[in-house]
Amino acid sequence: VAMYNMSSYSTGPFTLSGIPGLEQYHVWISIPFCFIYLVAILGNSILLYLIAVERSLHSPMFFFLSMLAMTDLILSTTCVPKTLSIFWFGPQEISFPGCLTQLFFLHYSFVLDSAILLAMAFDRYVAICSPLRYTTILTPKATVKIAVGISFRSFCVFVPCVFLVNRLPFCRTHVIAHTYCEHIGVARLACADISINIWYGFCVPIMTVIIDVVLIAISYTLILHAVFRLPSRDARQKALGTCGSHVCVILMFYIPAFFSILAHRFGRNVPRTFHIMFANLYVIIPPALNPMVYGVKTKQIRDKAVLLLFPK
């Protein structure tokens, strides 16, 4: 039995060093990052404002869309400000509680985003496959219950990871070769067995997200089956147009997410620089593009946004 000297363990601050191999380009990389982050903040804020003030947008679909916008703001704001400070001022310290907080909100936002996309797919399924029952199924009370349920599920899925990291002893380097704290990256700095961290951190969230993906795929299969049975061509186009924005956002979310997760777990030949760069793009690109996709694809939002930005 290994006996550890507990006095040598430390949960002092960690140092985030940035993107390894690209330190000399940090200032230049910060320019597009800062611009895209501002676009994400502005786009999601406009989306939330329009949904809040326009009574015509007070429906379950737009309620879930506002949840997606808020979650995207949490996801990007959890990571990007610290990343920009590293790009501008060099390696930055982050306290151990701050690191735990950052990794929790990062992964919680990811799992919650997935659950919101599932809720939006269910909303479209009911609207297209059972339009006459839409208002009786998705009542305001039912919508709030769904929102609370998916938020609580996402919390329960990832909060154990915080305790799994908190129990670890750190007696080696406290330098994290990344721009933000993420679960496995922090756990690998520990001088203890992290098998449970690796398997829980990989299996439970990924299985949760895979279940969401399967249910979303079933929903859209049933939706497409119902759409192509509609007698009116205009009705088919309207239904496909409404679903098109959801499908675009789903693809933008899941494709890079699965690539990043699988590369982190199995991609030993993936250069670390590429992996960390991709991980940074993942927390900033979807939050910036989602409002644009819905602004272009959803007529109600597009019309209200035009009136807001160009009142004359």
Side-chain angles (χ1 to χ4, degrees):
V1 178
M3 300 298 292
Y4 294 105
N5 179 7
M6 297 301 293
S7 64
S8 67
Y9 298 158
S10 170
T11 53
F14 292 99
T15 300
L16 296 166
S17 63
I19 304 174
L22 297 179
E23 290 86 356
Q24 65 271 36
Y25 303 111
H26 276 176
V27 173
W28 297 105
I29 295 171
S30 72
I31 297 172
F33 263 75
C34 185
F35 175 75
I36 297 170
Y37 177 60
L38 292 176
V39 169
I41 295 293
L42 181 63
N44 285 290
S45 298
I46 291 174
L47 199 57
L48 287 170
Y49 173 78
L50 290 174
I51 293 171
V53 301
E54 294 293 338
R55 292 186 62 84
S56 62
L57 301 181
H58 292 179
S59 68
M61 182 180 85
F62 294 108
F63 175 76
F64 292 133
L65 181 55
S66 68
M67 282 188 68
L68 185 68
M70 285 189 287
T71 307
D72 282 344
L73 286 174
I74 293 171
L75 176 63
S76 57
T77 304
T78 296
C79 302
V80 178
K82 194 70 175 179
T83 298
L84 290 175
S85 69
I86 294 167
F87 288 163
W88 290 334
F89 307 114
Q92 297 289 304
E93 283 194 349
I94 184 169
S95 66
F96 185 65
C99 191
L100 290 179
T101 303
Q102 189 181 55
L103 71 85
F104 169 75
F105 280 106
L106 168 69
H107 297 292
Y108 172 74
S109 301
F110 168 73
V111 177
L112 183 56
D113 261 344
S114 179
I116 293 169
L117 292 175
L118 174 60
M120 295 174 77
F122 175 69
D123 169 86
R124 290 300 84 202
Y125 165 75
V126 175
I128 293 171
C129 298
S130 302
L132 298 179
R133 300 174 58 204
Y134 181 79
T135 53
T136 57
I137 294 174
L138 282 169
T139 61
K141 187 176 180 180
T143 304
V144 171
K145 283 183 178 179
I146 292 172
V148 172
I150 61 178
S151 300
F152 183 68
R153 187 203 74 163
S154 303
F155 177 85
C156 291
V157 165
F158 199 78
V159 76
C161 290
V162 176
F163 292 101
L164 289 174
V165 173
N166 190 51
R167 72 181 177 86
L168 293 174
F170 296 92
C171 55
R172 293 196 291 263
T173 180
H174 279 212
V175 177
I176 302 173
H178 210 309
T179 56
Y180 54 78
C181 294
E182 52 87 25
H183 175 215
I184 301 301
V186 176
R188 282 178 174 158
L189 299 180
C191 47
D193 181 27
I194 61 168
S195 299
I196 189 172
N197 293 73
I198 292 173
W199 287 109
Y200 184 92
F202 177 75
C203 294
V204 176
I206 201 74
M207 287 305 299
T208 304
V209 172
I210 285 174
I211 291 170
D212 292 346
V213 170
V214 170
L215 293 175
I216 288 170
I218 293 171
S219 297
Y220 277 99
T221 301
L222 296 173
I223 286 169
L224 289 175
H225 184 258
V227 165
F228 288 115
R229 292 171 58 191
L230 293 173
S232 167
R233 182 181 177 185
D234 289 340
R236 286 197 299 269
Q237 288 181 338
K238 183 178 179 181
L240 289 172
T242 304
C243 295
S245 55
H246 296 295
V247 173
C248 288
V249 169
I250 287 166
L251 293 176
M252 285 192 304
F253 176 78
Y254 284 114
I255 291 174
F258 278 117
F259 175 83
S260 183
I261 291 170
L262 294 174
H264 204 295
R265 183 67 184 89
F266 301 109
R268 303 191 184 281
N269 295 324
V270 177
R272 187 168 180 78
T273 299
F274 174 81
H275 175 75
I276 293 176
M277 189 69 179
F278 191 87
N280 276 277
L281 292 174
Y282 173 70
V283 300
I284 194 172
I285 297 293
L289 290 182
N290 287 352
M292 296 183 189
V293 170
Y294 282 107
V296 171
K297 289 280 187 180
T298 309
K299 186 177 186 300
Q300 300 100 308
I301 294 176
R302 183 172 66 245
D303 293 344
K304 300 301 181 183
V306 169
L307 286 174
L308 177 66
L309 298 174
F310 308 103
K312 295 184 179 180

